[in-house]
Amino acid sequence: EGSGHFSMFIEEPGFVLDVTAADEGQGSVEIVSEPTCNNPQAELMATADSGYHFVRWSNGSIDNPLTITLNGDTSIVAWFAVDSFSVSVVSNDETMGLVSGGGVYAYGDTVTLTATANNGYHFEGWGVTPGYQNIITDNPLTLVATEEISAVAYFASDNTEDIDDIPSSDIRVYSLGGRIVVEGAVGVAVRVFDIVGRPVADHTLPAGLYFVCIGDRPARKVAVIR
């Protein structure tokens, strides 16, 4: 197994090889292949811990694993750095509302996304990729940065705010691969409308917020996310 610090004495020709991680809380190092009397080369491996990545060795090399030739006592350090991720956040229509909270975050940082509706409009929900099939209504929305995040805040005219979710657990509505999927709606008509109330055909849809009407039930709001 790797360790933060590996030191060994090579009997012939009598050299010391000292391999260290600059920060043992970020990663470990190991000597994969030891030098011998007939072969003065050693292979070193740096392994980053979760949330970090290998940057370089103290000799300037970015090779990993790294092969070095021992011509004397040698000390080498592996440097690591915390991972960082881009968080992209946009409004579906800036005339309806604005957003904040995007930027570059370090691994494990808390990300707070905020949507602010303009007069005459209201916030409907977030479409977030990856990891979410439907809209999230929390506002502000708190996430943890462990990967690249893309979020869209969906706003709508106030004349749509009386549209409620389907109050039944036997019907599931979600987006998958650019299409809206309805499960459990057997023998009833399913109609899909865009954010301004125009009917749309049942085919691959552009990213956006849609209203799904199933029979005479209240409409369901669902985001198609790409």
Side-chain angles (χ1 to χ4, degrees), residues 15 22 30 44 61 70 76 116 125 128 133 178 183 186 193 198 212:
F15 298 144
E30 62 179 314
L44 314 179
S61 176
L70 270 69
I76 190 165
T116 304
V128 181
Q133 290 183 321
E183 297 179 352
V186 179
F193 300 87
R198 295 172 299 195
V212 181

Side-chain angles (χ1 to χ4, degrees), residues 191-206:
R191 296 170 296 157
V192 179
F193 300 87
D194 66 13
I195 192 68
V196 296
R198 295 172 299 195
V200 296
D202 181 20
H203 55 67
T204 301
L205 300 168

Side-chain angles (χ1 to χ4, degrees), residues 121-202:
Y121 301 93
H122 63 274
F123 172 71
E124 288 280 0
W126 300 98
V128 181
T129 53
Y132 299 88
Q133 290 183 321
N134 287 321
I135 60 175
I136 308 168
T137 57
D138 295 352
N139 189 33
L141 173 63
T142 301
L143 304 170
V144 177
T146 57
E147 58 189 337
E148 302 287 319
I149 298 173
S150 178
V152 179
Y154 293 102
F155 299 93
S157 173
D158 285 345
N159 61 19
T160 65
E161 63 184 348
D162 58 342
I163 299 178
D164 299 318
D165 283 351
I166 299 169
S168 176
S169 60
D170 61 341
I171 294 179
R172 293 186 63 221
V173 182
Y174 58 93
S175 66
L176 181 65
R179 304 194 67 172
I180 292 176
V181 179
V182 179
E183 297 179 352
V186 179
V188 294
V190 176
R191 296 170 296 157
V192 179
F193 300 87
D194 66 13
I195 192 68
V196 296
R198 295 172 299 195
V200 296
D202 181 20

Side-chain angles (χ1 to χ4, degrees), residues 13 22 32 36 38 49 62 72 98-101 103 109 115 136 152 163 166 168-169 180 195 210 216 226:
V32 178
T36 65
N38 298 322
D49 290 343
I62 59 174
L98 302 176
V99 294
S100 63
D109 279 356
I136 308 168
V152 179
I163 299 178
I166 299 169
S168 176
S169 60
I180 292 176
I195 192 68
Y210 296 87
D216 58 358
R226 293 184 179 279

